[in-house]
Amino acid sequence: MLAGDTSLLDERILNGLRETYNALGVPIGASIRAVQAMKEVTNDLIGADAGREMAVYFDYICTGLS
């Protein structure tokens, strides 16, 4: 997120994560809600302007998990 590049998210987080969660029986919906909760907390911690910038990456993760 700090690099301003989603390729790191793809490489380190999203590639295979959904399949792994499915194989382990981890509910994807609950995982997406957890990421959305982290987005809200982050917004509260860093302020609205920076929160909007960070929200792009949290939304990207949620979309990737969907």
Side-chain angles (χ1 to χ4, degrees), residues 42-64:
T42 299
N43 188 58
D44 292 342
L45 290 172
I46 64 175
D49 291 336
R52 277 190 294 278
E53 290 180 37
M54 295 296 290
V56 171
Y57 300 100
F58 285 111
D59 291 340
Y60 185 82
I61 293 169
C62 290
T63 300

Side-chain angles (χ1 to χ4, degrees), residues 10-34:
D10 290 328
E11 180 183 328
R12 303 288 182 185
I13 297 175
L14 294 175
N15 287 344
L17 184 62
R18 190 169 81 150
E19 291 79 13
T20 301
Y21 280 5
N22 283 331
L24 295 173
V26 176
I28 294 296
S31 301
I32 292 170
R33 285 190 298 280

